[in-house]
Amino acid sequence: MIYLSLDTNAILDLCYRVYPEQTFPRLWEMLDELILTRAAKFCVCSSILEETRTKCSFFEFDESTLNDFLARFSVMMIDRDDVGNGILNIRTKLFDYPFAVTSVHATKDEPDVDLIATAQKYKTNGFVITGEIGFIGADWDAFSARARRKEQIKIPDICALMNVQSYSWLKLFQKYNFTLD
């Protein structure tokens, strides 16, 4: 079984913006099958869930859709305190790179780091699902040589640094050969 640590934007994309069930019912059925066969388990860190609820409110999304998603897929809630050591390890690693020292990921309580620490909890079976696109890749040392101090670090970049797999919904759908016939 793989554990899919869901980012706020991944949840919003699935439930409201890109893949809502009303538009893609077959896709949601395939996700049901993925979860019911125990091939995968969705999990969300408490800070990500709080951020998702805040954004639902801000965008005036119907929060019952989110609650239905959480219940339907038995999304596992991970308390931020349960991944505290992972959060500290990620922040410590970011301090190895001068361009990352001032990033919000290194300096503040930030849900993106919690998201990655949640996936790390499951070792090689932990994956991050996010809508973000990274630009650093796995070679942080080469990037560090040319980076400016204000470079914006994305979730897939930190995942690559920490050896955590990062997927988009599309990449996950391709992995499991989801097709809408």
Side-chain angles (χ1 to χ4, degrees):
M1 178 183 312
I2 64 170
Y3 294 86
L4 303 170
S5 180
L6 302 174
D7 182 25
T8 296
N9 282 316
I11 296 169
L12 296 176
D13 285 350
L14 184 68
C15 293
Y16 303 99
R17 300 188 295 213
V18 181
Y19 304 108
E21 184 178 17
Q22 302 86 332
T23 307
F24 296 100
R26 178 66 186 123
L27 180 66
W28 280 63
E29 289 171 10
M30 288 184 279
L31 286 171
D32 277 328
E33 292 168 21
L34 191 65
I35 301 303
L36 291 172
T37 60
R38 301 181 59 82
K41 177 81 174 158
F42 291 136
C43 53
V44 64
C45 187
S46 57
S47 57
I48 292 288
L49 184 56
E50 180 181 324
E51 181 182 63
T52 303
R53 290 192 188 285
T54 299
K55 288 198 176 187
C56 281
S57 178
F58 179 80
F59 291 117
E60 298 180 354
F61 292 147
D62 180 359
E63 199 167 328
S64 68
T65 301
L66 172 62
N67 293 332
D68 291 346
F69 164 76
L70 297 171
R72 175 178 180 168
F73 293 104
S74 301
V75 177
M76 186 169 34
M77 306 301 167
I78 306 297
D79 191 84
R80 185 175 192 272
D81 291 341
D82 291 341
V83 293
N85 286 339
I87 293 167
L88 293 175
N89 290 340
I90 293 168
R91 286 184 179 166
T92 299
K93 186 74 171 170
L94 289 171
F95 276 100
D96 290 344
Y97 300 91
F99 72 93
V101 169
T102 58
S103 77
V104 296
H105 300 98
T107 60
K108 298 185 180 192
D109 282 342
E110 210 278 323
D112 290 352
V113 174
D114 304 0
L115 162 80
I116 298 162
T118 299
Q120 271 188 318
K121 174 182 171 102
Y122 300 102
K123 313 227 182 308
T124 58
N125 291 331
F127 293 76
V128 166
I129 302 292
T130 183
E132 288 188 6
I133 298 170
F135 59 92
I136 297 173
D139 195 351
W140 275 58
D141 292 322
F143 184 82
S144 187
R146 67 181 192 284
R148 298 181 304 266
R149 222 170 191 4
K150 296 287 185 180
E151 294 288 356
Q152 190 172 13
I153 301 166
K154 298 294 188 180
I155 291 168
D157 300 323
I158 300 171
C159 286
L161 177 66
M162 302 307 296
N163 294 315
V164 173
Q165 289 288 322
S166 174
Y167 280 11
S168 64
W169 282 118
L170 184 58
K171 188 173 177 182
L172 180 74
F173 299 156
Q174 290 169 334
K175 175 183 174 76
Y176 288 99
N177 297 315
F178 283 18
T179 57
L180 300 176
D181 298 337

